Amino acid sequence: MRSGSLPTVEGGGRGHTIMQDIKAVYFVGAGGIGMSAIARYFINRGLVVAGYDKTPSALTLQLEKEGMLIHYEEDVEQIPLACRDKEHCLVIYTPAIPSEHAELQFFRNGGFDIQKRAQVLGTLTKSLKGLCFAGTHGKTTTSTMCAHIMHQSSMDCNAFLGGISKNYGTNYILSNDSPYVVIEADEFDRSFHWLRPWMSVITATDPDHLDIYGTKEAYLESFRHYTTLIQPGGALIIHTGLEVKPNVQEGVRTYTYSKTEGDFHAENIRIENGEITFDFVSPIENVKDIELGQPVPINIENGIASMAMAQLNGCTAEELRYGMKTYRGVDRRFDFRIRNDKHVLLSDYAHHPKEIFESARSMREVYKNRHITAIFQPHLYTRTRDFYKDFADALSQLDEVILCDIYPARELPIEGVTSKLIYDNLRPGIEKSMVHKEDVPELVKNRDFDVLIILGAGDLDNYMAELAEIIKNKD
């Protein structure tokens, strides 16, 4: 990876120049995947970088090794001295942190410059050409895929990603002099409204986060407003058939894409011997024989979106081919830990019914004649309440479903909302059971699974190393 630094960027709650005036940055909610990418940006700039997170994780421990000061108790006294100077400290918080959080209250009462993560990213998109990837699902894979294509090309790019790239071992890519920054545009809490994209992909608009938006109509309106923020001269690349009605400014080009139709699509798809190859059809230049470095069927469509963005920004046919062939994926996105004739173990971050449907369909396509089991940890009480029938329909494509308790994240329990809502609505005849998260390793030890996929956005993935070791000992 190239080394260097991004240009100085203007912005901040008090209108100061972020990189000229601040000497320290404090993160309230340091361990989130999006927050950690920005933390790495400021660490690279040589500032004092510190923060709070609820629990240690592999990511927070890595950030500590890179120079970040992190503590795991809600305790104002542990805020470093350098972060107590309101004139020279920028505070960044995630909307997942409750407003009554003691440290957040300390900074608010002290008159500090406090910004959401998305505000900082928005500032960057005003000084660099933001290549933004939005959508209910698919945005982490497509943004990481595009960042890899761009970074290894003559165009290069910076990137703030929503997952750990397996090519680079990080969620942050730095370029010395590229004018491009690839950003995952998160719709949660309307965060993506802070961005000013040069170009954007919208992958999907299946309703989600109804605890924030209330209605499907409000969710779609949020995406419509997002399209107004794309800068004149730029472009929108939107999946065919979405309900959202774009409202782009004059001078913004609009393209469509999908797996088999649209301005950008695939033809001559070949899936054989564990490899996937196809031809990329484009209004700019068709490219034959694109080979997927991570050969999962859903990545055909993800690749179309990523290549469309990269091609519109100057990547050549050979750069597209090389980037796609050498793409290695993202942690927890079709993340294979074991893959042989006896056992397959992988994890996938899918946590919305449509994501799980696509994940299950891809698994069925790749492993046609094998017994597929999913251990699924639902994410959020509200999402389970709103979509439990859709979750059951999606999971019912598989041979066996094992359900864990709901991962609450930022929410308090809702009476009557448990994983049993999904369990009771699974297709009749499917093998099904329920298990507590902490009992999963023992379950795997006592069973001989053929193809096992760990699904969800919660903390069940923390067991993956242990599960892989258990299964390897059976081979």
PDB file of all heavy atoms in Angstrom, residues 72-89:
ATOM      1  N   TYR A  72     -12.475   0.983  28.356  1.00  0.00           N
ATOM      2  CA  TYR A  72     -13.702   0.211  28.157  1.00  0.00           C
ATOM      3  C   TYR A  72     -14.711   0.393  29.293  1.00  0.00           C
ATOM      4  O   TYR A  72     -15.610  -0.415  29.460  1.00  0.00           O
ATOM      5  CB  TYR A  72     -13.345  -1.268  27.976  1.00  0.00           C
ATOM      6  CG  TYR A  72     -12.395  -1.482  26.817  1.00  0.00           C
ATOM      7  CD1 TYR A  72     -11.015  -1.549  27.023  1.00  0.00           C
ATOM      8  CD2 TYR A  72     -12.866  -1.556  25.514  1.00  0.00           C
ATOM      9  CE1 TYR A  72     -10.139  -1.718  25.959  1.00  0.00           C
ATOM     10  CE2 TYR A  72     -11.998  -1.725  24.437  1.00  0.00           C
ATOM     11  CZ  TYR A  72     -10.631  -1.801  24.669  1.00  0.00           C
ATOM     12  OH  TYR A  72      -9.774  -1.954  23.615  1.00  0.00           O
ATOM     13  N   GLU A  73     -14.552   1.468  30.042  1.00  0.00           N
ATOM     14  CA  GLU A  73     -15.531   1.819  31.075  1.00  0.00           C
ATOM     15  C   GLU A  73     -16.041   3.226  30.787  1.00  0.00           C
ATOM     16  O   GLU A  73     -15.272   4.097  30.387  1.00  0.00           O
ATOM     17  CB  GLU A  73     -14.889   1.781  32.466  1.00  0.00           C
ATOM     18  CG  GLU A  73     -14.399   0.404  32.879  1.00  0.00           C
ATOM     19  CD  GLU A  73     -13.636   0.457  34.204  1.00  0.00           C
ATOM     20  OE1 GLU A  73     -13.662   1.522  34.853  1.00  0.00           O
ATOM     21  OE2 GLU A  73     -13.015  -0.554  34.564  1.00  0.00           O
ATOM     22  N   GLU A  74     -17.328   3.432  31.006  1.00  0.00           N
ATOM     23  CA  GLU A  74     -17.925   4.761  30.815  1.00  0.00           C
ATOM     24  C   GLU A  74     -17.466   5.643  31.968  1.00  0.00           C
ATOM     25  O   GLU A  74     -18.088   5.727  33.008  1.00  0.00           O
ATOM     26  CB  GLU A  74     -19.450   4.624  30.782  1.00  0.00           C
ATOM     27  CG  GLU A  74     -20.182   5.887  30.389  1.00  0.00           C
ATOM     28  CD  GLU A  74     -21.682   5.668  30.294  1.00  0.00           C
ATOM     29  OE1 GLU A  74     -22.116   4.526  30.013  1.00  0.00           O
ATOM     30  OE2 GLU A  74     -22.429   6.640  30.515  1.00  0.00           O
ATOM     31  N   ASP A  75     -16.335   6.316  31.759  1.00  0.00           N
ATOM     32  CA  ASP A  75     -15.666   6.993  32.865  1.00  0.00           C
ATOM     33  C   ASP A  75     -14.963   8.249  32.359  1.00  0.00           C
ATOM     34  O   ASP A  75     -13.944   8.180  31.667  1.00  0.00           O
ATOM     35  CB  ASP A  75     -14.652   6.031  33.506  1.00  0.00           C
ATOM     36  CG  ASP A  75     -13.955   6.635  34.712  1.00  0.00           C
ATOM     37  OD1 ASP A  75     -14.304   7.772  35.111  1.00  0.00           O
ATOM     38  OD2 ASP A  75     -13.054   5.966  35.264  1.00  0.00           O
ATOM     39  N   VAL A  76     -15.503   9.392  32.717  1.00  0.00           N
ATOM     40  CA  VAL A  76     -14.948  10.680  32.284  1.00  0.00           C
ATOM     41  C   VAL A  76     -13.503  10.839  32.745  1.00  0.00           C
ATOM     42  O   VAL A  76     -12.673  11.446  32.045  1.00  0.00           O
ATOM     43  CB  VAL A  76     -15.826  11.832  32.823  1.00  0.00           C
ATOM     44  CG1 VAL A  76     -15.157  13.180  32.596  1.00  0.00           C
ATOM     45  CG2 VAL A  76     -17.204  11.800  32.168  1.00  0.00           C
ATOM     46  N   GLU A  77     -13.180  10.290  33.910  1.00  0.00           N
ATOM     47  CA  GLU A  77     -11.834  10.434  34.459  1.00  0.00           C
ATOM     48  C   GLU A  77     -10.759   9.801  33.577  1.00  0.00           C
ATOM     49  O   GLU A  77      -9.583  10.156  33.668  1.00  0.00           O
ATOM     50  CB  GLU A  77     -11.773   9.817  35.867  1.00  0.00           C
ATOM     51  CG  GLU A  77     -12.651  10.515  36.893  1.00  0.00           C
ATOM     52  CD  GLU A  77     -12.305  11.997  37.026  1.00  0.00           C
ATOM     53  OE1 GLU A  77     -11.101  12.313  37.083  1.00  0.00           O
ATOM     54  OE2 GLU A  77     -13.231  12.826  37.053  1.00  0.00           O
ATOM     55  N   GLN A  78     -11.156   8.860  32.719  1.00  0.00           N
ATOM     56  CA  GLN A  78     -10.177   8.180  31.869  1.00  0.00           C
ATOM     57  C   GLN A  78      -9.938   8.894  30.532  1.00  0.00           C
ATOM     58  O   GLN A  78      -9.150   8.429  29.725  1.00  0.00           O
ATOM     59  CB  GLN A  78     -10.613   6.736  31.617  1.00  0.00           C
ATOM     60  CG  GLN A  78     -10.613   5.876  32.882  1.00  0.00           C
ATOM     61  CD  GLN A  78     -10.702   4.398  32.565  1.00  0.00           C
ATOM     62  OE1 GLN A  78      -9.901   3.868  31.804  1.00  0.00           O
ATOM     63  NE2 GLN A  78     -11.679   3.733  33.160  1.00  0.00           N
ATOM     64  N   ILE A  79     -10.631   9.995  30.301  1.00  0.00           N
ATOM     65  CA  ILE A  79     -10.392  10.774  29.079  1.00  0.00           C
ATOM     66  C   ILE A  79      -9.014  11.437  29.197  1.00  0.00           C
ATOM     67  O   ILE A  79      -8.744  12.161  30.162  1.00  0.00           O
ATOM     68  CB  ILE A  79     -11.473  11.853  28.887  1.00  0.00           C
ATOM     69  CG1 ILE A  79     -12.850  11.185  28.728  1.00  0.00           C
ATOM     70  CG2 ILE A  79     -11.163  12.725  27.675  1.00  0.00           C
ATOM     71  CD1 ILE A  79     -14.011  12.162  28.726  1.00  0.00           C
ATOM     72  N   PRO A  80      -8.107  11.200  28.254  1.00  0.00           N
ATOM     73  CA  PRO A  80      -6.745  11.753  28.355  1.00  0.00           C
ATOM     74  C   PRO A  80      -6.740  13.277  28.416  1.00  0.00           C
ATOM     75  O   PRO A  80      -7.647  13.949  27.900  1.00  0.00           O
ATOM     76  CB  PRO A  80      -6.057  11.253  27.076  1.00  0.00           C
ATOM     77  CG  PRO A  80      -6.854  10.070  26.648  1.00  0.00           C
ATOM     78  CD  PRO A  80      -8.269  10.355  27.058  1.00  0.00           C
ATOM     79  N   LEU A  81      -5.701  13.816  29.023  1.00  0.00           N
ATOM     80  CA  LEU A  81      -5.572  15.257  29.210  1.00  0.00           C
ATOM     81  C   LEU A  81      -5.616  16.000  27.882  1.00  0.00           C
ATOM     82  O   LEU A  81      -6.240  17.058  27.761  1.00  0.00           O
ATOM     83  CB  LEU A  81      -4.253  15.551  29.940  1.00  0.00           C
ATOM     84  CG  LEU A  81      -4.052  16.993  30.425  1.00  0.00           C
ATOM     85  CD1 LEU A  81      -5.131  17.366  31.447  1.00  0.00           C
ATOM     86  CD2 LEU A  81      -2.664  17.151  31.035  1.00  0.00           C
ATOM     87  N   ALA A  82      -4.968  15.463  26.847  1.00  0.00           N
ATOM     88  CA  ALA A  82      -4.930  16.124  25.549  1.00  0.00           C
ATOM     89  C   ALA A  82      -6.318  16.267  24.931  1.00  0.00           C
ATOM     90  O   ALA A  82      -6.540  17.129  24.081  1.00  0.00           O
ATOM     91  CB  ALA A  82      -4.025  15.351  24.593  1.00  0.00           C
ATOM     92  N   CYS A  83      -7.252  15.422  25.366  1.00  0.00           N
ATOM     93  CA  CYS A  83      -8.616  15.452  24.818  1.00  0.00           C
ATOM     94  C   CYS A  83      -9.562  16.295  25.670  1.00  0.00           C
ATOM     95  O   CYS A  83     -10.779  16.287  25.439  1.00  0.00           O
ATOM     96  CB  CYS A  83      -9.155  14.029  24.694  1.00  0.00           C
ATOM     97  SG  CYS A  83      -8.182  12.976  23.596  1.00  0.00           S
ATOM     98  N   ARG A  84      -9.019  17.010  26.641  1.00  0.00           N
ATOM     99  CA  ARG A  84      -9.848  17.857  27.500  1.00  0.00           C
ATOM    100  C   ARG A  84      -9.753  19.333  27.126  1.00  0.00           C
ATOM    101  O   ARG A  84     -10.351  20.184  27.779  1.00  0.00           O
ATOM    102  CB  ARG A  84      -9.449  17.659  28.972  1.00  0.00           C
ATOM    103  CG  ARG A  84      -9.761  16.259  29.485  1.00  0.00           C
ATOM    104  CD  ARG A  84      -9.157  16.011  30.864  1.00  0.00           C
ATOM    105  NE  ARG A  84      -9.524  14.706  31.357  1.00  0.00           N
ATOM    106  CZ  ARG A  84     -10.581  14.441  32.134  1.00  0.00           C
ATOM    107  NH1 ARG A  84     -11.375  15.430  32.494  1.00  0.00           N
ATOM    108  NH2 ARG A  84     -10.838  13.226  32.543  1.00  0.00           N
ATOM    109  N   ASP A  85      -8.977  19.627  26.099  1.00  0.00           N
ATOM    110  CA  ASP A  85      -8.806  21.000  25.614  1.00  0.00           C
ATOM    111  C   ASP A  85      -9.814  21.233  24.495  1.00  0.00           C
ATOM    112  O   ASP A  85      -9.614  20.791  23.362  1.00  0.00           O
ATOM    113  CB  ASP A  85      -7.376  21.189  25.123  1.00  0.00           C
ATOM    114  CG  ASP A  85      -7.128  22.573  24.550  1.00  0.00           C
ATOM    115  OD1 ASP A  85      -8.075  23.406  24.522  1.00  0.00           O
ATOM    116  OD2 ASP A  85      -5.992  22.820  24.091  1.00  0.00           O
ATOM    117  N   LYS A  86     -10.889  21.946  24.786  1.00  0.00           N
ATOM    118  CA  LYS A  86     -11.977  22.069  23.808  1.00  0.00           C
ATOM    119  C   LYS A  86     -11.580  22.862  22.568  1.00  0.00           C
ATOM    120  O   LYS A  86     -12.208  22.747  21.527  1.00  0.00           O
ATOM    121  CB  LYS A  86     -13.204  22.695  24.446  1.00  0.00           C
ATOM    122  CG  LYS A  86     -13.097  24.164  24.790  1.00  0.00           C
ATOM    123  CD  LYS A  86     -14.414  24.668  25.354  1.00  0.00           C
ATOM    124  CE  LYS A  86     -14.362  26.153  25.659  1.00  0.00           C
ATOM    125  NZ  LYS A  86     -15.651  26.650  26.197  1.00  0.00           N
ATOM    126  N   GLU A  87     -10.528  23.663  22.670  1.00  0.00           N
ATOM    127  CA  GLU A  87     -10.097  24.437  21.511  1.00  0.00           C
ATOM    128  C   GLU A  87      -9.325  23.599  20.509  1.00  0.00           C
ATOM    129  O   GLU A  87      -9.207  23.968  19.343  1.00  0.00           O
ATOM    130  CB  GLU A  87      -9.232  25.628  21.960  1.00  0.00           C
ATOM    131  CG  GLU A  87      -9.975  26.639  22.821  1.00  0.00           C
ATOM    132  CD  GLU A  87     -11.214  27.205  22.115  1.00  0.00           C
ATOM    133  OE1 GLU A  87     -11.138  27.465  20.901  1.00  0.00           O
ATOM    134  OE2 GLU A  87     -12.245  27.371  22.796  1.00  0.00           O
ATOM    135  N   HIS A  88      -8.777  22.478  20.943  1.00  0.00           N
ATOM    136  CA  HIS A  88      -7.890  21.704  20.076  1.00  0.00           C
ATOM    137  C   HIS A  88      -8.243  20.223  20.010  1.00  0.00           C
ATOM    138  O   HIS A  88      -7.437  19.415  19.548  1.00  0.00           O
ATOM    139  CB  HIS A  88      -6.433  21.860  20.538  1.00  0.00           C
ATOM    140  CG  HIS A  88      -5.953  23.274  20.483  1.00  0.00           C
ATOM    141  ND1 HIS A  88      -5.871  24.079  21.601  1.00  0.00           N
ATOM    142  CD2 HIS A  88      -5.565  24.049  19.433  1.00  0.00           C
ATOM    143  CE1 HIS A  88      -5.436  25.283  21.245  1.00  0.00           C
ATOM    144  NE2 HIS A  88      -5.235  25.296  19.940  1.00  0.00           N
ATOM    145  N   CYS A  89      -9.445  19.866  20.479  1.00  0.00           N
ATOM    146  CA  CYS A  89      -9.865  18.469  20.425  1.00  0.00           C
ATOM    147  C   CYS A  89     -11.171  18.346  19.649  1.00  0.00           C
ATOM    148  O   CYS A  89     -12.143  19.066  19.936  1.00  0.00           O
ATOM    149  CB  CYS A  89     -10.032  17.882  21.822  1.00  0.00           C
ATOM    150  SG  CYS A  89     -10.614  16.158  21.807  1.00  0.00           S
TER     151      CYS A  89
END
